[in-house]
C-alpha cells in the first residue's frame, strides 16, 4: 500500500472530543464532559491522526502539506451504530396510511411493514441491492458519518438474509476506510409463510441461518426485534444463545412499542447494546446499571412514528452509558442524518450538547466495538473527521437543527468529494 501524503491542519478554532486511552464508554455524569482544545493544529499521516497540539507550539513539519482552517472547528465523524440501509425500496405509501390514522403495528399486522420490505427485497437482485445500499452509504458519509453498523432482516429466508449480508460485506470491502459492522437480524418479523408456525421459524434461524451466517463469516452481531407482536423474550433468548455459540455477540431492538423484556434478555446475554428504549421501567434501568450493555437511543424513529421519546436525560442521570444512532430504514426512520439526531436528543430528550456529541461519536464507537479506530480525536485513530463551517459555539450544532453546518468530511485522511 502506498503511503498517503501527510497533511497538517492549522488554525483550528476548536478541536473537539480529544481523548487518549479511554477503555470503556462514558457513563452518567462523565457524558457531560467533552474535552476540547482551542486554537489547535492536527497532523494526519497515512490516513490516521498522528498528533495534535496548540498553535503556540506548532511543530516543525517541513515538507508537509499545510491547510489553514481559519478558525473553523474540527470534530470526529459520526459513528452510527444502528442502521438498516440495505433495502430494496422506500415505503412512503405506509407513511401516508399513518397520516390517515393507522398505526405502525396495524400496518405490520396486515402484511405491510417489514414483510412488505421482505417481499421487495426477495425480488431484487444482489447487484441492484448493492447499488441502492451504496447510494445510501455515500449519502450518510456526505452527511458526516464515518463508521456505520448495518443490519440484515429484510430477507427472512436463508438465501435472502445471506444476500443482504453479502451486500454489507461488499460495502465493507469497497469502503474499507470506513469501519462497517454487520449484524444478522433474521428475527426481525415472522415471515408470512411461517405465520402459524412460529416455532419452526425460530428453528430455521437457530439451526440453519445462524450456522450458515457464521460459517461464511458474514456477521459480527446477532440482533432480535424483541417486541409486542414480533419476538418474545423466550424466542429472543434462544436465538441470542444460538448466536453466541457461533461467536456472534448480541444486540437487541427493545421496548420500542411497549415494555417487552428485551432489555433484560439483552443484558442476560451480555448484549453490546440494547436499542430504542422508548419504554423503560425501573427494572430495566436496574438491569442496565449492573451491566456493560450500552443504551442506544434512536430519536429519529420516535420523531417519524410520533412515539414518545426515550428518556435520555433520566437514563444518563441514572448513570447509564447512552449512545445515539439513526436507525436509518425504510419503515420507521427514512433518514440517516446524524445532526438531526443530535438536535432531537437535546430538544426532545433533554440531553446537553456535550452529552449528545459524546453519545453520537465515542459511545457509538463502543456500541459497535470500533472505539480503538474512531469516535474521538486520538493519536493512532482514523482521520475520519468533520470540518465545520464558521459556527459560533458547540451548542450551536444541535440548536441550528435545519442548518447544514458541516463544511467538509474527511475519511481516512482524504476530504471526500461528491460521488
Ligand atoms: O428499528 N424495529 C424494527 N426495525 C426497524 C423498523 C423496520 C421497518 O419498519 O422496516 C426499526 O425501527
Ligand atoms: Fe432498527
Amino acid at each position: 500500500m502506498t503511503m498517503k501524503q501527510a497533511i497538517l491542519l492549522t488554525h483550528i478554532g476548536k478541536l473537539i472530543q480529544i481523548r487518549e486511552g479511554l477503555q470503556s464508554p462514558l457513563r452518567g455524569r462523565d457524558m457531560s464532559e467533552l474535552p476540547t482544545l482551542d486554537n489547535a493544529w492536527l497532523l494526519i499521516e497515512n490516513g490516521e491522526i498522528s498528533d495534535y497540539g496548540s498553535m503556540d507550539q506548532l511543530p516543525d513539519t517541513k515538507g508537509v502539506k499545510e491547510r489553514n482552517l481559519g478558525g473553523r472547528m474540527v470534530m470526529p465523524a459520526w459513528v452510527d451504530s444502528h442502521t438498516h440501509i440495505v433495502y430494496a425500496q422506500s415505503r412512503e405509501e405506509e407513511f401516508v396510511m399513518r397520516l390517515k390514522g393507522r398505526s405502525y403495528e396495524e400496518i405490520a399486522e396486515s402484511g405491510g411493514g417489514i414483510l412488505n420490505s421482505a417481499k421487495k427485497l426477495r425480488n431484487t437482485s444482489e447487484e441492484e441491492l448493492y447499488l441502492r445500499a451504496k447510494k445510501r452509504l455515500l449519502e450518510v458519509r456526505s452527511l458526516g458519518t464515518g463508521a456505520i453498523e448495518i443490519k440484515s432482516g429484510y430477507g427472512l429466508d436463508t438465501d435472502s438474509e445471506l444476500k443482504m449480508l453479502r451486500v454489507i460485506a461488499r460495502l465493507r470491502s469497497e469502503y474499507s476506510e470506513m469501519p462497517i459492522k454487520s449484524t444478522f437480524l433474521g428475527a426481525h418479523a415472522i415471515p408470512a409463510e411461517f405465520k402459524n408456525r412460529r416455532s419452526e421459524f425460530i428453528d430455521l434461524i437457530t439451526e440453519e441461518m445462524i450456522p450458515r451466517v457464521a460459517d461464511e463469516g458474514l456477521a459480527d452481531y446477532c440482533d432480535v426485534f424483541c417486541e409486542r407482536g414480533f419476538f418474545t423474550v423466550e424466542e429472543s433468548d434462544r436465538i441470542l444463545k444460538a448466536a453466541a455459540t457461533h461467536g456472534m455477540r448480541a444486540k437487541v431492538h427493545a421496548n420500542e412499542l411497549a415494555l417487552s423484556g428485551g432489555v433484560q434478555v439483552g443484558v442476560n446475554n451480555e448484549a453490546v447494546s440494547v436499542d430504542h428504549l422508548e419504554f423503560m421501567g425501573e427494572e430495566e434501568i436496574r438491569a442496565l446499571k449492573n451491566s456493560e450493555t450500552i443504551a442506544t437511543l434512536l430519536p429519529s424513529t420516535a420523531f417519524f412514528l410520533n412515539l414518545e421519546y426515550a428518556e435520555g436525560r433520566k437514563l444518563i442521570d441514572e448513570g447509564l452509558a447512552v449512545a445515539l444512532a439513526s436507525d436509518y430504514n425504510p419503515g420507521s426512520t427514512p433518514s440517516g442524518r446524524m445532526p438531526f439526531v443530535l438536535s432531537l436528543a437535546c430538544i426532545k430528550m433533554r440531553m446537553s450538547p456535550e452529552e449528545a456529541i459524546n453519545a453520537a461519536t465515542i459511545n457509538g464507537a463502543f456500541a459497535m466495538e470500533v472505539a480503538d479506530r474512531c469516535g474521538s480525536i486520538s493519536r493512532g485513530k482514523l482521520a475520519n473527521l468533520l470540518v465545520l463551517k464558521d459556527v459560533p459555539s458547540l451548542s450551536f450544532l444541535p440548536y441550528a437543527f435545519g442548518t447544514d453546518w458541516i463544511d467538509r468530511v474527511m475519511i481516512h485522511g482524504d476530504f471526500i468529494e461528491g460521488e
Side-chain angles (χ1 to χ4, degrees), residues 146-413:
I148 191 167
E149 181 260 16
I150 311 172
K151 299 175 197 295
S152 72
Y154 291 124
L156 307 181
D157 64 38
T158 306
D159 288 345
S160 309
E161 284 294 307
L162 291 170
K163 176 167 81 174
M164 286 188 80
L165 292 168
R166 281 194 303 269
V167 166
I168 301 171
R170 189 167 159 201
L171 291 172
R172 173 149 51 184
S173 70
E174 204 83 5
Y175 297 95
S176 55
E177 66 286 357
M178 210 177 146
I180 296 180
K181 286 281 171 109
S182 169
T183 299
F184 168 64
L185 176 58
H188 200 189
I190 301 279
E193 60 275 24
F194 282 92
K195 194 162 184 236
N196 300 311
R197 305 183 285 136
R198 317 179 49 95
S199 67
E200 286 176 45
F201 185 58
I202 312 297
D203 293 344
L204 182 74
I205 292 177
T206 55
E207 287 161 28
E208 184 176 297
M209 292 191 194
I210 288 175
R212 286 280 302 275
V213 168
D215 275 356
E216 297 185 31
L218 285 172
D220 303 294
Y221 304 113
C222 177
D223 195 340
V224 179
F225 192 13
C226 182
E227 195 68 57
R228 177 174 81 190
F230 293 85
F231 292 85
T232 66
V233 166
E234 292 70 30
E235 291 164 347
S236 303
D237 191 57
R238 265 187 67 195
I239 292 165
L240 296 179
K241 289 208 160 49
T245 63
H246 285 87
M248 283 177 239
R249 287 196 68 189
K251 282 184 169 273
V252 180
H253 277 72
N255 300 8
E256 176 180 357
L257 307 171
L259 284 178
S260 68
V263 168
Q264 292 87 328
V265 80
V267 167
N268 290 338
N269 285 281
E270 294 177 2
V272 183
S273 67
V274 288
D275 304 27
H276 274 294
L277 314 184
E278 281 79 2
F279 292 82
M280 285 291 270
E282 292 309 314
E283 200 192 312
E284 280 72 14
I285 292 178
R286 206 169 326 118
L288 280 175
K289 256 188 182 171
N290 296 320
S291 77
E292 302 284 306
T293 301
I294 295 171
T296 298
L297 309 182
L298 312 164
S300 308
T301 309
F303 171 79
F304 188 71
L305 293 184
N306 263 326
L307 305 174
E308 292 294 323
Y309 285 83
E311 294 185 278
R313 174 77 274 125
K314 179 168 183 201
L315 301 187
I316 293 174
D317 288 343
E318 292 277 3
L320 303 188
V322 170
L324 286 166
S326 74
D327 198 18
Y328 193 174
N329 77 75
S332 70
T333 326
S335 161
R337 193 178 285 270
M338 288 298 281
F340 186 54
V341 171
L342 204 70
S343 293
L344 289 176
C346 296
I347 298 162
K348 298 293 187 181
M349 298 178 168
R350 296 178 41 235
M351 288 168 64
S352 69
E354 291 79 6
E355 288 168 338
I357 292 172
N358 277 323
T361 56
I362 190 65
N363 276 9
F366 279 105
M368 51 182 279
E369 297 180 294
V370 293
D372 58 331
R373 298 300 287 144
C374 53
S376 64
I377 305 293
S378 313
R379 294 182 192 92
K381 284 198 184 182
L382 284 169
N384 288 10
L385 310 170
L386 310 180
V387 174
L388 307 185
K389 290 181 180 162
D390 186 17
V391 298
S393 69
L394 258 170
S395 304
F396 182 87
L397 309 183
Y399 154 87
F401 72 90
T403 300
D404 176 14
W405 38 255
I406 296 172
D407 185 26
R408 307 292 300 274
V409 178
M410 176 184 272
I411 299 289
H412 200 229

Side-chain angles (χ1 to χ4, degrees), residues 33-55:
E33 269 165 49
L34 184 65
T36 60
L37 180 64
D38 286 349
N39 202 17
W41 55 268
L42 181 73
L43 179 63
I44 295 157
E45 288 180 297
N46 213 24
E48 292 178 354
I49 297 168
S50 71
D51 207 357
Y52 51 82
S54 167
M55 277 308 286

Side-chain angles (χ1 to χ4, degrees), residues 6-58:
I7 160 168
L8 179 70
L9 303 179
T10 67
H11 303 86
I12 300 169
K14 203 185 267 303
L15 187 57
I16 301 166
Q17 184 64 304
I18 303 172
R19 311 251 173 205
E20 294 298 340
L22 192 68
Q23 294 299 326
S24 53
L26 300 168
R27 290 181 158 262
R29 228 189 291 277
D30 289 346
M31 287 191 67
S32 62
E33 269 165 49
L34 184 65
T36 60
L37 180 64
D38 286 349
N39 202 17
W41 55 268
L42 181 73
L43 179 63
I44 295 157
E45 288 180 297
N46 213 24
E48 292 178 354
I49 297 168
S50 71
D51 207 357
Y52 51 82
S54 167
M55 277 308 286
D56 47 26
Q57 290 165 332
L58 191 64

